[in-house]
Amino acid sequence: MFFIYNVLVVVSGLLLKIIALFNNKIRLFVNGRKNVFETLKKEIAPSDKIIWFHTASLGEFEQGLPVIEEVKKNYPGYKILVTFFSPSGYEVKKKSKAADIISYLPLDTKSNVKRFLDLSQPELAIFVKYEFWPNYLQALLDRRVKTLLISAIFRKDQAFFKWYGTFMRKSLVTFDHFFVQDENSKQLLKKIGFNNTTVSGDTRFDRVDEILERDNTLDFIAEFINGRLCFVAGSTWPEDEELIIKFINESAPGTKFIIAPHNIKPKEIGKLQNSITKSAVLYTKKQNLDLKDYDVLIVDTIGILTKIYSYANIAYVGGGMGDTGLHNTLEPAVFGIPVIIGENYGKFKEAADLVEQGGVFSIKNYSEFNTILKNLLKSTTKRVQKGRLNMEFIQKNKGAKELIGNYIKKEL
């Protein structure tokens, strides 16, 4: 099986180089890996002590960030190496100060793995949530490098728990310890013989809790809202925007609306703005305008959505009306406000838990969206009550980074 896997990895690498000629994202994926080894040679001296974190993409980086920051603070004698698999993570975070070295992870070929580990020589390897690369994991095991999996979540439909999953189950042997998000994951691992497990919860609860301690002030948002009720829709896709725009166009005056689309390409932003019949202004065109005179603010930039959520009375998180994947519901929920999402949230445990708690509302169509949003806008009591459920849930579930940090302390 290893032979077949290694052949497939090599073939995939060749195919990606061809696809890169026509696809910008794949081009970043391929070109970004060209200088990885040179970067490692330049940034890592033979005497350096390395702790390596691997994250698939941006979401996993944010998930691992509380632990990364904790390790960086507590072990100043070590350099922190963070690798990404996806361009959507690396390209956004390649200049982050959270780590000493940030790079792509080379493809999982035996030669790449040997070269990568020879150069980095990690004393501890920490994988976030998932990413099970057989050659990397086998090499870490062979080199007796302590390896952890944190914020992991397992489902019974994964290959590890199927009759044909022997090859993937072997990869799990590498991990010295699993820090999983829920009891179900622990029991699934136990059924296939892994008892080195701690239910630590999701490190994202620690991550969003830290948001409350920051300065979230945005003067232009306060100016735009001007004391009115504010509905913020974050990370929206067209299928989300269809519902939101219909509501905006049909709504009575008085409520302020902020939309932060996932896709901020000028053509798509133009379509969005043109579909709104109320007065709408773009973030990038706000200079010298009296923002309080506008009903809708379209945020055609990245990096400020979390702060914007702090001004919301009600939030909507995009991705759940289609198949693109639900975005982070915890970021608005931590501010103690009710949140609305689409119906496709089953694979997102934190969203499912928040729906069950009652602070997050799932909708299937415009009729449900219209009813829920109108009810929340009308009732201060309901907004406060539902928002408090979200805030209390996050406070109850934080603490994963301390559990993981205590384990690391024993290993280093």
Side-chain angles (χ1 to χ4, degrees):
M1 192 65 183
F2 252 108
F3 174 77
I4 296 172
Y5 171 78
N6 286 321
V7 170
L8 289 174
V9 172
V10 172
V11 171
S12 297
L14 295 173
L15 288 174
L16 286 169
K17 288 180 179 179
I18 296 171
I19 298 171
L21 298 173
F22 312 98
N23 184 292
N24 185 55
K25 186 173 182 179
I26 300 301
R27 191 177 305 121
L28 289 170
F29 181 96
V30 172
N31 292 340
R33 285 169 164 77
K34 288 180 178 178
N35 299 316
V36 169
F37 298 121
E38 287 73 14
T39 298
L40 295 180
K41 283 180 184 177
K42 179 182 177 182
E43 299 292 339
I44 300 175
S47 59
D48 286 338
K49 296 191 293 184
I50 301 296
I51 298 174
W52 169 34
F53 286 84
H54 176 62
T55 63
S57 191
L58 184 59
E60 289 73 30
F61 175 82
E62 294 293 340
Q63 204 157 23
L65 192 56
V67 180
I68 294 171
E69 291 176 338
E70 193 78 358
V71 168
K72 189 174 177 63
K73 178 181 71 177
N74 292 335
Y75 304 97
Y78 286 81
K79 280 189 174 180
I80 306 299
L81 166 64
V82 171
T83 56
F84 287 93
F85 181 76
S86 166
S88 58
Y90 175 79
E91 295 301 327
V92 174
K93 293 296 180 180
K94 60 187 177 183
K95 295 183 180 179
S96 171
K97 302 299 183 183
D100 299 289
I101 309 136
I102 298 177
S103 80
Y104 279 102
L105 182 73
L107 289 180
D108 190 32
T109 66
K110 286 189 174 183
S111 59
N112 280 345
V113 169
K114 182 179 186 306
R115 195 174 177 190
F116 178 86
L117 293 178
D118 284 347
L119 288 167
S120 59
Q121 293 289 333
E123 292 189 21
L124 176 66
I126 301 174
F127 286 62
V128 181
K129 194 173 182 179
Y130 38 58
E131 287 279 285
F132 304 98
W133 298 110
N135 284 320
Y136 277 103
L137 293 174
Q138 183 60 51
L140 288 168
L141 183 64
D142 292 343
R143 294 173 185 233
R144 298 182 180 179
V145 177
K146 288 284 183 181
T147 305
L148 309 180
L149 183 64
I150 66 172
S151 280
I153 189 160
F154 290 92
R155 301 183 305 275
K156 64 180 181 180
D157 60 349
Q158 291 173 306
F160 307 109
F161 313 109
K162 303 294 186 180
W163 63 267
Y164 53 80
T166 304
F167 175 66
M168 291 304 296
R169 282 195 291 274
K170 286 181 178 178
S171 297
L172 298 181
V173 175
T174 301
F175 294 103
D176 292 274
H177 205 83
F178 299 89
F179 289 92
V180 296
Q181 292 188 30
D182 58 11
E183 184 65 28
N184 181 62
S185 295
K186 181 177 181 176
Q187 294 305 318
L188 285 170
L189 288 170
K190 186 176 181 180
K191 285 180 181 178
I192 58 173
F194 294 95
N195 295 299
N196 50 335
T197 308
T198 298
V199 179
S200 60
D202 189 340
T203 48
R204 283 185 299 172
F205 288 103
D206 297 289
R207 175 66 177 152
V208 296
D209 183 61
E210 292 169 358
I211 291 171
L212 296 176
E213 300 174 9
R214 302 177 191 168
D215 181 3
N216 293 300
T217 304
L218 292 171
D219 290 339
F220 73 92
I221 295 292
E223 179 189 345
F224 166 74
I225 295 173
N226 193 34
R228 305 285 184 85
L229 282 177
C230 180
F231 171 80
V232 175
S235 303
T236 57
W237 294 79
E239 51 267 33
D240 303 301
E241 291 156 9
E242 183 179 347
L243 309 181
I244 295 163
I245 293 165
K246 181 174 172 63
F247 185 92
I248 291 172
N249 289 343
E250 294 177 354
S251 67
T255 302
K256 294 284 188 165
F257 298 91
I258 300 175
I259 306 175
H262 178 77
N263 185 346
I264 58 170
K265 292 180 180 177
K267 183 178 179 181
E268 301 306 317
I269 291 294
K271 285 182 184 178
L272 177 63
Q273 186 175 20
N274 290 335
S275 67
I276 297 170
T277 56
K278 292 185 181 296
S279 57
V281 60
L282 303 184
Y283 167 83
T284 54
K285 304 292 184 182
K286 65 181 173 56
Q287 288 78 11
N288 303 318
L289 296 178
D290 197 345
L291 294 179
K292 72 177 187 299
D293 294 337
Y294 291 84
D295 300 305
V296 184
L297 172 64
I298 299 173
V299 184
D300 53 341
T301 188
I302 61 172
I304 60 173
L305 177 58
T306 302
K307 290 188 175 186
I308 291 173
Y309 279 138
S310 73
Y311 288 86
N313 298 104
I314 306 161
Y316 178 98
V317 175
M321 285 304 295
D323 56 6
T324 51
L326 180 65
H327 290 270
N328 194 337
T329 53
L330 297 178
E331 286 187 349
V334 76
F335 291 108
I337 58 172
V339 178
I340 303 172
I341 60 174
E343 62 181 320
N344 300 318
Y345 64 88
K347 291 185 178 180
F348 300 85
K349 183 182 183 303
E350 74 287 350
D353 289 342
L354 286 166
V355 170
E356 186 177 348
Q357 292 290 317
V360 170
F361 299 84
S362 171
I363 53 99
K364 297 178 181 178
N365 51 48
Y366 177 72
S367 177
E368 292 182 359
F369 176 72
N370 181 60
T371 299
I372 289 169
L373 185 50
K374 278 185 176 178
N375 287 339
L376 289 171
L377 287 169
K378 285 178 184 176
S379 174
T380 302
T381 301
K382 191 169 187 177
R383 289 197 305 274
V384 171
Q385 179 190 35
K386 297 301 183 180
R388 185 183 295 121
L389 291 174
N390 287 337
M391 180 180 285
E392 289 174 351
F393 183 76
I394 290 172
Q395 294 302 312
K396 180 182 175 182
N397 284 277
K398 67 181 184 178
K401 74 174 182 181
E402 282 80 14
L403 283 171
I404 298 166
N406 289 336
Y407 182 92
I408 291 172
K409 191 182 298 182
K410 293 185 293 186
E411 300 301 323
L412 290 177

